Coordinates of all heavy atoms in Angstrom, one line a residue:
M1 N -18.2 -24.4 -23.5 CA -17.7 -23.0 -23.5 C -17.7 -22.5 -25.0 O -17.2 -23.2 -25.8 CB -16.3 -23.0 -22.9 CG -15.8 -21.6 -22.7 SD -14.2 -21.5 -21.9 CE -14.4 -22.1 -20.3
S2 N -18.2 -21.3 -25.2 CA -18.2 -20.8 -26.5 C -16.8 -20.4 -27.0 O -15.9 -20.3 -26.1 CB -19.1 -19.5 -26.5 OG -18.5 -18.5 -25.8
P3 N -16.6 -20.3 -28.3 CA -15.2 -19.9 -28.7 C -14.7 -18.6 -28.2 O -13.5 -18.5 -27.8 CB -15.4 -19.8 -30.3 CG -16.6 -20.7 -30.6 CD -17.5 -20.6 -29.4
L4 N -15.5 -17.6 -28.0 CA -15.1 -16.3 -27.5 C -14.7 -16.5 -26.0 O -13.7 -15.9 -25.5 CB -16.1 -15.2 -27.7 CG -15.7 -13.8 -27.3 CD1 -14.5 -13.4 -28.0 CD2 -16.9 -12.9 -27.5
A5 N -15.5 -17.2 -25.3 CA -15.3 -17.4 -23.9 C -14.0 -18.2 -23.7 O -13.2 -18.0 -22.8 CB -16.4 -18.2 -23.2
A6 N -13.7 -19.2 -24.6 CA -12.5 -20.0 -24.5 C -11.3 -19.1 -24.8 O -10.2 -19.3 -24.2 CB -12.5 -21.1 -25.5
L7 N -11.4 -18.1 -25.7 CA -10.4 -17.2 -26.0 C -10.1 -16.3 -24.8 O -8.9 -16.0 -24.5 CB -10.7 -16.3 -27.2 CG -9.7 -15.4 -27.7 CD1 -8.5 -16.1 -28.3 CD2 -10.3 -14.5 -28.8
I8 N -11.1 -15.8 -24.1 CA -10.9 -15.0 -22.9 C -10.3 -15.8 -21.8 O -9.6 -15.3 -21.0 CB -12.3 -14.4 -22.5 CG1 -12.7 -13.4 -23.6 CG2 -12.2 -13.7 -21.2 CD1 -14.1 -12.9 -23.4
A9 N -10.6 -17.1 -21.8 CA -10.1 -18.0 -20.7 C -8.6 -18.3 -20.9 O -7.9 -18.7 -19.9 CB -10.9 -19.3 -20.7
L10 N -8.0 -18.1 -22.0 CA -6.6 -18.4 -22.3 C -5.7 -17.6 -21.3 O -4.8 -18.2 -20.7 CB -6.2 -18.1 -23.7 CG -6.7 -19.1 -24.7 CD1 -6.3 -18.7 -26.1 CD2 -6.1 -20.5 -24.4
P11 N -5.8 -16.3 -21.1 CA -5.0 -15.6 -20.1 C -5.1 -16.2 -18.7 O -4.2 -16.2 -17.9 CB -5.4 -14.2 -20.2 CG -6.1 -14.0 -21.5 CD -6.7 -15.3 -21.8
V12 N -6.4 -16.5 -18.4 CA -6.6 -17.1 -17.0 C -5.8 -18.4 -16.9 O -5.2 -18.7 -15.9 CB -8.1 -17.3 -16.8 CG1 -8.3 -18.0 -15.4 CG2 -8.8 -16.0 -16.9
R13 N -5.9 -19.3 -17.9 CA -5.2 -20.5 -17.8 C -3.7 -20.3 -17.8 O -3.0 -21.0 -17.1 CB -5.6 -21.4 -19.0 CG -7.0 -21.9 -19.0 CD -7.4 -22.8 -20.1 NE -8.8 -23.0 -20.3 CZ -9.5 -23.8 -19.6 NH1 -9.0 -24.5 -18.7 NH2 -10.8 -23.9 -19.8
G14 N -3.2 -19.3 -18.6 CA -1.8 -19.0 -18.5 C -1.4 -18.5 -17.2 O -0.3 -18.9 -16.7
Y15 N -2.2 -17.7 -16.5 CA -1.9 -17.2 -15.2 C -1.8 -18.4 -14.2 O -0.9 -18.5 -13.4 CB -3.0 -16.2 -14.7 CG -2.9 -16.0 -13.2 CD1 -2.0 -15.2 -12.6 CD2 -3.8 -16.7 -12.3 CE1 -1.9 -15.0 -11.2 CE2 -3.8 -16.6 -11.0 CZ -2.8 -15.7 -10.4 OH -2.8 -15.6 -9.1
R16 N -2.8 -19.3 -14.3 CA -2.8 -20.5 -13.4 C -1.5 -21.4 -13.6 O -1.0 -21.9 -12.7 CB -4.0 -21.3 -13.6 CG -5.3 -20.6 -13.2 CD -6.5 -21.5 -13.3 NE -6.6 -22.2 -12.1 CZ -7.6 -23.0 -11.8 NH1 -8.5 -23.2 -12.7 NH2 -7.6 -23.7 -10.7
L17 N -1.1 -21.4 -14.9 CA 0.1 -22.3 -15.2 C 1.4 -21.6 -14.8 O 2.3 -22.2 -14.2 CB 0.1 -22.6 -16.7 CG 1.2 -23.5 -17.2 CD1 1.0 -24.9 -16.6 CD2 1.2 -23.5 -18.7
A18 N 1.5 -20.3 -15.1 CA 2.8 -19.6 -14.9 C 3.0 -18.8 -13.6 O 4.0 -18.9 -13.0 CB 3.1 -18.7 -16.1
A19 N 2.0 -18.0 -13.3 CA 2.1 -17.1 -12.1 C 1.6 -17.6 -10.8 O 2.1 -17.3 -9.8 CB 1.5 -15.8 -12.5
S20 N 0.5 -18.4 -10.9 CA -0.2 -18.8 -9.7 C 0.7 -19.6 -8.7 O 0.6 -19.3 -7.5 CB -1.4 -19.6 -10.0 OG -2.1 -20.0 -8.9
P21 N 1.6 -20.5 -9.2 CA 2.4 -21.1 -8.2 C 3.4 -20.2 -7.4 O 3.8 -20.5 -6.3 CB 3.2 -22.1 -9.1 CG 2.4 -22.3 -10.3 CD 1.7 -21.0 -10.5
W22 N 3.7 -19.1 -8.0 CA 4.6 -18.1 -7.4 C 3.9 -17.1 -6.5 O 4.6 -16.6 -5.6 CB 5.4 -17.4 -8.5 CG 6.2 -18.3 -9.3 CD1 5.9 -18.7 -10.6 CD2 7.5 -18.9 -9.0 NE1 6.9 -19.6 -11.0 CE2 7.9 -19.7 -10.1 CE3 8.3 -18.8 -7.9 CZ2 9.0 -20.4 -10.1 CZ3 9.5 -19.5 -7.9 CH2 9.8 -20.3 -9.0
V23 N 2.6 -16.9 -6.7 CA 1.9 -15.9 -6.0 C 1.6 -16.4 -4.5 O 1.6 -15.7 -3.6 CB 0.6 -15.5 -6.7 CG1 -0.3 -14.6 -5.8 CG2 0.9 -14.8 -8.0
G24 N 1.3 -17.7 -4.4 CA 1.0 -18.3 -3.1 C -0.5 -18.6 -3.0 O -1.3 -18.4 -3.9
H25 N -0.9 -19.0 -1.8 CA -2.3 -19.4 -1.6 C -3.0 -18.5 -0.6 O -3.5 -18.9 0.4 CB -2.3 -20.8 -1.1 CG -1.8 -21.8 -2.1 ND1 -2.4 -22.1 -3.3 CD2 -0.6 -22.4 -2.2 CE1 -1.7 -22.9 -4.0 NE2 -0.6 -23.1 -3.4
G26 N -2.9 -17.2 -0.8 CA -3.5 -16.2 0.2 C -4.8 -15.6 -0.4 O -5.0 -14.5 -0.1
C27 N -5.5 -16.4 -1.1 CA -6.8 -15.8 -1.7 C -7.8 -15.5 -0.7 O -8.0 -16.3 0.3 CB -7.3 -16.8 -2.8 SG -8.6 -16.1 -3.8
R28 N -8.5 -14.4 -0.8 CA -9.5 -14.0 0.1 C -10.8 -14.7 -0.1 O -11.7 -14.7 0.8 CB -9.8 -12.5 -0.1 CG -8.6 -11.6 0.1 CD -8.8 -10.1 -0.1 NE -9.9 -9.6 0.7 CZ -9.7 -9.2 2.0 NH1 -8.5 -9.3 2.5 NH2 -10.7 -8.7 2.6
F29 N -11.0 -15.2 -1.3 CA -12.3 -15.8 -1.6 C -12.1 -17.3 -1.9 O -11.0 -17.8 -2.2 CB -12.9 -15.2 -2.9 CG -13.4 -13.8 -2.7 CD1 -12.6 -12.7 -3.2 CD2 -14.5 -13.5 -2.0 CE1 -13.0 -11.4 -3.0 CE2 -15.0 -12.2 -1.9 CZ -14.2 -11.2 -2.4
Q30 N -13.2 -18.1 -1.8 CA -13.3 -19.5 -2.2 C -14.4 -19.6 -3.1 O -15.5 -19.2 -2.7 CB -13.4 -20.4 -1.0 CG -13.3 -21.8 -1.3 CD -12.0 -22.2 -1.8 OE1 -11.0 -21.6 -1.6 NE2 -11.9 -23.3 -2.6
P31 N -14.4 -20.1 -4.3 CA -13.2 -20.5 -5.0 C -12.2 -19.3 -5.4 O -12.7 -18.2 -5.4 CB -13.7 -21.2 -6.3 CG -15.0 -20.5 -6.5 CD -15.5 -20.1 -5.2
T32 N -11.0 -19.6 -5.8 CA -10.1 -18.6 -6.1 C -10.6 -17.8 -7.3 O -11.4 -18.3 -8.1 CB -8.7 -19.2 -6.5 OG1 -8.8 -20.0 -7.6 CG2 -8.1 -20.0 -5.3
C33 N -10.0 -16.7 -7.6 CA -10.5 -15.8 -8.7 C -10.3 -16.5 -10.0 O -11.1 -16.4 -10.9 CB -9.7 -14.5 -8.6 SG -10.3 -13.4 -7.3
S34 N -9.2 -17.2 -10.2 CA -9.0 -17.9 -11.5 C -10.0 -19.0 -11.7 O -10.5 -19.2 -12.8 CB -7.5 -18.4 -11.6 OG -7.2 -19.3 -10.6
A35 N -10.3 -19.8 -10.6 CA -11.3 -20.8 -10.8 C -12.7 -20.2 -11.0 O -13.5 -20.8 -11.8 CB -11.3 -21.7 -9.5
Y36 N -13.0 -19.1 -10.3 CA -14.2 -18.4 -10.5 C -14.3 -17.9 -11.9 O -15.4 -18.1 -12.5 CB -14.3 -17.2 -9.5 CG -15.5 -16.4 -9.5 CD1 -16.5 -16.7 -8.6 CD2 -15.7 -15.4 -10.5 CE1 -17.7 -15.9 -8.6 CE2 -16.9 -14.7 -10.5 CZ -17.9 -14.9 -9.5 OH -19.1 -14.2 -9.6
A37 N -13.3 -17.4 -12.5 CA -13.3 -16.9 -13.9 C -13.6 -18.0 -14.8 O -14.4 -17.8 -15.7 CB -12.0 -16.2 -14.2
L38 N -12.9 -19.1 -14.7 CA -13.2 -20.2 -15.7 C -14.6 -20.8 -15.5 O -15.2 -21.0 -16.6 CB -12.1 -21.3 -15.4 CG -10.7 -21.0 -15.8 CD1 -9.8 -22.1 -15.4 CD2 -10.6 -20.6 -17.2
E39 N -15.1 -20.9 -14.3 CA -16.5 -21.3 -14.1 C -17.5 -20.3 -14.7 O -18.5 -20.7 -15.3 CB -16.7 -21.6 -12.7 CG -18.1 -22.3 -12.4 CD -18.3 -22.6 -11.0 OE1 -17.3 -22.6 -10.2 OE2 -19.5 -22.9 -10.6
A40 N -17.2 -19.0 -14.4 CA -18.2 -18.0 -14.9 C -18.2 -18.0 -16.4 O -19.3 -17.8 -17.0 CB -17.8 -16.6 -14.3
L41 N -17.0 -18.1 -17.0 CA -17.0 -18.1 -18.5 C -17.7 -19.3 -19.1 O -18.4 -19.2 -20.1 CB -15.5 -18.0 -19.0 CG -14.8 -16.7 -18.7 CD1 -13.3 -16.8 -19.0 CD2 -15.4 -15.6 -19.6
D42 N -17.5 -20.4 -18.4 CA -18.1 -21.7 -18.9 C -19.7 -21.6 -18.7 O -20.4 -22.0 -19.6 CB -17.6 -22.9 -18.2 CG -18.1 -24.2 -18.7 OD1 -18.1 -24.3 -20.0 OD2 -18.4 -25.0 -17.9
R43 N -20.1 -21.1 -17.6 CA -21.5 -21.1 -17.3 C -22.3 -20.0 -17.9 O -23.4 -20.2 -18.4 CB -21.7 -21.0 -15.7 CG -23.1 -21.2 -15.3 CD -23.2 -21.1 -13.8 NE -22.6 -22.3 -13.2 CZ -22.5 -22.5 -11.9 NH1 -23.0 -21.6 -11.1 NH2 -21.9 -23.5 -11.4
H44 N -21.7 -18.8 -18.0 CA -22.4 -17.6 -18.5 C -22.0 -17.1 -19.8 O -22.6 -16.2 -20.3 CB -22.3 -16.5 -17.4 CG -23.0 -16.8 -16.2 ND1 -24.4 -16.7 -16.0 CD2 -22.5 -17.2 -15.0 CE1 -24.7 -17.0 -14.8 NE2 -23.6 -17.4 -14.1
G45 N -20.9 -17.6 -20.4 CA -20.4 -17.1 -21.7 C -19.5 -16.0 -21.5 O -19.1 -15.6 -20.4
A46 N -19.0 -15.4 -22.6 CA -18.0 -14.4 -22.7 C -18.4 -13.1 -22.0 O -17.6 -12.6 -21.2 CB -17.5 -14.2 -24.1
F47 N -19.5 -12.6 -22.3 CA -19.9 -11.2 -21.9 C -20.3 -11.2 -20.4 O -19.6 -10.5 -19.6 CB -21.0 -10.6 -22.8 CG -20.5 -10.5 -24.2 CD1 -21.1 -11.3 -25.2 CD2 -19.5 -9.6 -24.6 CE1 -20.7 -11.2 -26.5 CE2 -19.1 -9.5 -25.9 CZ -19.7 -10.3 -26.9
R48 N -21.3 -11.9 -20.1 CA -21.7 -12.0 -18.6 C -20.6 -12.6 -17.8 O -20.3 -12.1 -16.7 CB -23.0 -12.7 -18.5 CG -23.5 -12.7 -17.0 CD -25.0 -12.6 -16.9 NE -25.4 -12.9 -15.6 CZ -25.3 -12.1 -14.5 NH1 -24.8 -11.0 -14.6 NH2 -25.8 -12.5 -13.3
G49 N -20.0 -13.7 -18.2 CA -18.9 -14.3 -17.4 C -17.7 -13.4 -17.3 O -17.1 -13.4 -16.2
G50 N -17.4 -12.7 -18.3 CA -16.3 -11.7 -18.2 C -16.6 -10.6 -17.3 O -15.8 -10.2 -16.5
A51 N -17.9 -10.1 -17.3 CA -18.3 -9.1 -16.4 C -18.3 -9.6 -14.9 O -17.8 -8.8 -14.0 CB -19.7 -8.6 -16.7
L52 N -18.7 -10.8 -14.7 CA -18.7 -11.3 -13.3 C -17.3 -11.5 -12.9 O -17.0 -11.2 -11.7 CB -19.4 -12.7 -13.3 CG -20.9 -12.7 -13.4 CD1 -21.5 -14.1 -13.7 CD2 -21.5 -12.1 -12.2
T53 N -16.4 -11.9 -13.7 CA -15.0 -12.1 -13.4 C -14.3 -10.7 -13.0 O -13.6 -10.6 -12.0 CB -14.2 -12.7 -14.6 OG1 -14.8 -14.0 -14.8 CG2 -12.7 -12.8 -14.3
M54 N -14.6 -9.7 -13.8 CA -14.0 -8.4 -13.5 C -14.6 -7.8 -12.2 O -13.8 -7.2 -11.4 CB -14.3 -7.4 -14.7 CG -13.6 -7.7 -15.9 SD -11.8 -7.8 -15.7 CE -11.4 -6.2 -15.0
R55 N -15.9 -8.0 -12.0 CA -16.5 -7.6 -10.7 C -15.8 -8.3 -9.5 O -15.5 -7.7 -8.5 CB -18.0 -7.9 -10.7 CG -18.7 -7.5 -9.5 CD -20.2 -7.8 -9.6 NE -20.8 -7.6 -8.3 CZ -21.3 -8.7 -7.6 NH1 -21.2 -9.9 -8.1 NH2 -21.8 -8.5 -6.5
R56 N -15.5 -9.6 -9.7 CA -14.9 -10.3 -8.6 C -13.4 -9.8 -8.4 O -13.0 -9.6 -7.2 CB -14.9 -11.8 -9.0 CG -14.0 -12.7 -8.1 CD -14.6 -12.9 -6.7 NE -13.9 -13.8 -6.0 CZ -14.1 -15.1 -6.0 NH1 -15.1 -15.7 -6.7 NH2 -13.3 -15.9 -5.3
I57 N -12.7 -9.6 -9.4 CA -11.3 -9.2 -9.3 C -11.3 -7.8 -8.7 O -10.4 -7.5 -7.8 CB -10.6 -9.2 -10.7 CG1 -10.4 -10.6 -11.1 CG2 -9.3 -8.4 -10.7 CD1 -9.9 -10.8 -12.5
L58 N -12.2 -6.9 -9.0 CA -12.2 -5.6 -8.5 C -12.6 -5.6 -7.0 O -12.2 -4.6 -6.3 CB -13.2 -4.7 -9.2 CG -12.8 -4.3 -10.6 CD1 -13.9 -3.6 -11.4 CD2 -11.5 -3.5 -10.6
R59 N -13.3 -6.6 -6.5 CA -13.6 -6.7 -5.1 C -12.4 -7.3 -4.3 O -12.5 -7.3 -3.0 CB -14.8 -7.6 -4.9 CG -16.1 -7.0 -5.3 CD -17.3 -7.8 -5.0 NE -16.9 -9.2 -5.0 CZ -17.8 -10.2 -5.1 NH1 -19.0 -9.9 -5.1 NH2 -17.4 -11.4 -5.2
C60 N -11.4 -7.8 -4.9 CA -10.3 -8.4 -4.2 C -9.2 -7.4 -3.8 O -8.3 -7.1 -4.5 CB -9.7 -9.5 -5.1 SG -8.5 -10.5 -4.3
H61 N -9.5 -6.8 -2.7 CA -8.6 -5.8 -2.1 C -8.7 -5.8 -0.6 O -9.7 -6.5 -0.1 CB -8.9 -4.4 -2.7 CG -10.3 -3.9 -2.5 ND1 -10.7 -3.4 -1.4 CD2 -11.3 -3.9 -3.4 CE1 -12.0 -3.1 -1.5 NE2 -12.4 -3.4 -2.7
P62 N -7.8 -5.2 0.1 CA -7.9 -5.3 1.6 C -9.2 -4.9 2.2 O -9.6 -5.4 3.3 CB -6.8 -4.4 2.1 CG -5.8 -4.3 0.9 CD -6.7 -4.4 -0.3
W63 N -10.0 -4.0 1.6 CA -11.2 -3.6 2.2 C -12.4 -4.3 1.6 O -13.6 -3.9 1.8 CB -11.4 -2.0 2.1 CG -10.3 -1.4 2.7 CD1 -10.1 -1.1 4.1 CD2 -9.1 -0.9 2.1 NE1 -8.9 -0.5 4.3 CE2 -8.3 -0.3 3.1 CE3 -8.6 -0.8 0.8 CZ2 -7.0 0.2 2.9 CZ3 -7.3 -0.3 0.6 CH2 -6.6 0.2 1.6
G64 N -12.2 -5.2 0.7 CA -13.2 -6.0 0.0 C -13.7 -7.1 0.9 O -13.4 -7.2 2.0
G65 N -14.5 -7.9 0.3 CA -15.1 -9.1 1.0 C -14.1 -10.2 1.1 O -12.9 -10.2 0.7
H66 N -14.6 -11.3 1.6 CA -13.9 -12.5 1.8 C -14.9 -13.7 2.0 O -16.0 -13.4 2.3 CB -12.9 -12.5 2.9 CG -13.5 -12.3 4.3 ND1 -14.0 -11.1 4.7 CD2 -13.8 -13.2 5.2 CE1 -14.5 -11.2 5.9 NE2 -14.4 -12.5 6.2
G67 N -14.4 -14.9 1.9 CA -15.2 -16.1 2.2 C -15.7 -16.8 0.9 O -15.1 -16.6 -0.1
F68 N -16.8 -17.5 1.1 CA -17.3 -18.3 0.0 C -18.1 -17.4 -0.9 O -19.1 -16.7 -0.5 CB -18.2 -19.5 0.6 CG -18.7 -20.4 -0.5 CD1 -17.9 -21.1 -1.3 CD2 -20.1 -20.5 -0.7 CE1 -18.4 -22.0 -2.2 CE2 -20.6 -21.3 -1.7 CZ -19.7 -22.1 -2.4
D69 N -17.8 -17.4 -2.2 CA -18.4 -16.6 -3.2 C -18.6 -17.4 -4.5 O -17.7 -17.3 -5.4 CB -17.6 -15.3 -3.4 CG -18.2 -14.4 -4.4 OD1 -19.5 -14.3 -4.5 OD2 -17.5 -13.6 -5.1
P70 N -19.6 -18.2 -4.6 CA -19.8 -19.0 -5.8 C -20.3 -18.2 -7.0 O -20.8 -17.1 -6.9 CB -20.8 -20.0 -5.4 CG -21.7 -19.3 -4.4 CD -20.7 -18.4 -3.7
V71 N -20.1 -18.8 -8.2 CA -20.6 -18.2 -9.4 C -22.1 -18.3 -9.4 O -22.7 -19.3 -9.1 CB -20.1 -18.9 -10.7 CG1 -20.7 -18.4 -11.9 CG2 -18.6 -18.8 -10.7
P72 N -22.9 -17.2 -9.7 CA -24.3 -17.3 -9.6 C -24.9 -18.3 -10.7 O -24.3 -18.4 -11.7 CB -24.8 -15.9 -9.9 CG -23.6 -15.1 -10.3 CD -22.4 -15.9 -10.0
E73 N -26.0 -18.9 -10.3 CA -26.7 -19.8 -11.3 C -27.3 -19.0 -12.4 O -27.5 -17.8 -12.2 CB -27.8 -20.6 -10.5 CG -27.2 -21.5 -9.5 CD -26.4 -22.6 -10.0 OE1 -26.7 -23.1 -11.2 OE2 -25.5 -23.1 -9.4
I74 N -27.6 -19.6 -13.5 CA -28.3 -19.0 -14.6 C -29.8 -18.9 -14.3 O -30.3 -20.0 -14.0 CB -28.0 -19.7 -15.9 CG1 -26.5 -19.7 -16.3 CG2 -28.8 -19.1 -17.0 CD1 -26.2 -20.6 -17.5
S75 N -30.4 -17.8 -14.3 CA -31.8 -17.7 -14.0 C -32.6 -18.0 -15.3 O -32.0 -18.0 -16.4 CB -32.2 -16.3 -13.6 OG -32.0 -15.3 -14.6
A76 N -33.8 -18.4 -15.1 CA -34.6 -18.8 -16.3 C -34.9 -17.7 -17.2 O -35.0 -17.9 -18.4 CB -36.0 -19.3 -15.8
K77 N -35.0 -16.4 -16.7 CA -35.2 -15.3 -17.6 C -34.0 -14.7 -18.3 O -34.0 -13.9 -19.1 CB -36.0 -14.2 -16.9 CG -35.2 -13.6 -15.7 CD -36.0 -12.6 -15.0 CE -35.1 -12.0 -13.8 NZ -35.8 -11.0 -13.1
E78 N -32.8 -15.2 -17.8 CA -31.5 -14.7 -18.3 C -31.0 -15.6 -19.4 O -30.6 -16.7 -19.2 CB -30.5 -14.6 -17.2 CG -29.1 -14.3 -17.6 CD -28.2 -14.6 -16.4 OE1 -28.5 -14.3 -15.3 OE2 -27.0 -15.0 -16.7
P79 N -31.1 -15.1 -20.7 CA -30.5 -16.0 -21.8 C -29.0 -16.0 -21.7 O -28.4 -15.0 -21.3 CB -31.0 -15.3 -23.0 CG -31.2 -13.9 -22.7 CD -31.6 -13.9 -21.2
R80 N -28.4 -17.1 -22.0 CA -27.0 -17.2 -22.1 C -26.5 -16.4 -23.3 O -27.0 -16.5 -24.4 CB -26.5 -18.6 -22.2 CG -25.0 -18.8 -22.2 CD -24.6 -20.2 -22.3 NE -23.2 -20.2 -22.5 CZ -22.4 -21.2 -22.2 NH1 -22.9 -22.3 -21.7 NH2 -21.1 -21.1 -22.4
D81 N -25.4 -15.5 -23.0 CA -25.0 -14.7 -24.2 C -24.3 -15.5 -25.2 O -23.8 -16.6 -25.0 CB -24.1 -13.5 -23.7 CG -22.8 -14.0 -23.0 OD1 -22.4 -15.1 -23.3 OD2 -22.2 -13.2 -22.3
A82 N -24.3 -15.0 -26.4 CA -23.8 -15.8 -27.6 C -22.3 -15.8 -27.6 O -21.7 -16.5 -28.4 CB -24.3 -15.2 -28.9
G83 N -21.6 -14.9 -26.8 CA -20.2 -14.8 -26.8 C -19.4 -15.9 -26.2 O -19.5 -16.8 -25.6

């Protein structure tokens, strides 16, 4: 994970440590949004991983989707961002 992606992952890790146990286990997606965020940041870097995370969080509402939603693989033509 790049240094910028690790910095962006800090609030996610804080949420998982402090707030997640109190929120419960009613997530609409599998993997959970926090697990998705950490995997996206690790796999795609700070910019694309952050954008994928925001897209996922914005879809998490009563009229949004549900079910299995994995982090997309890195395509051969898509360079990993430097962030």
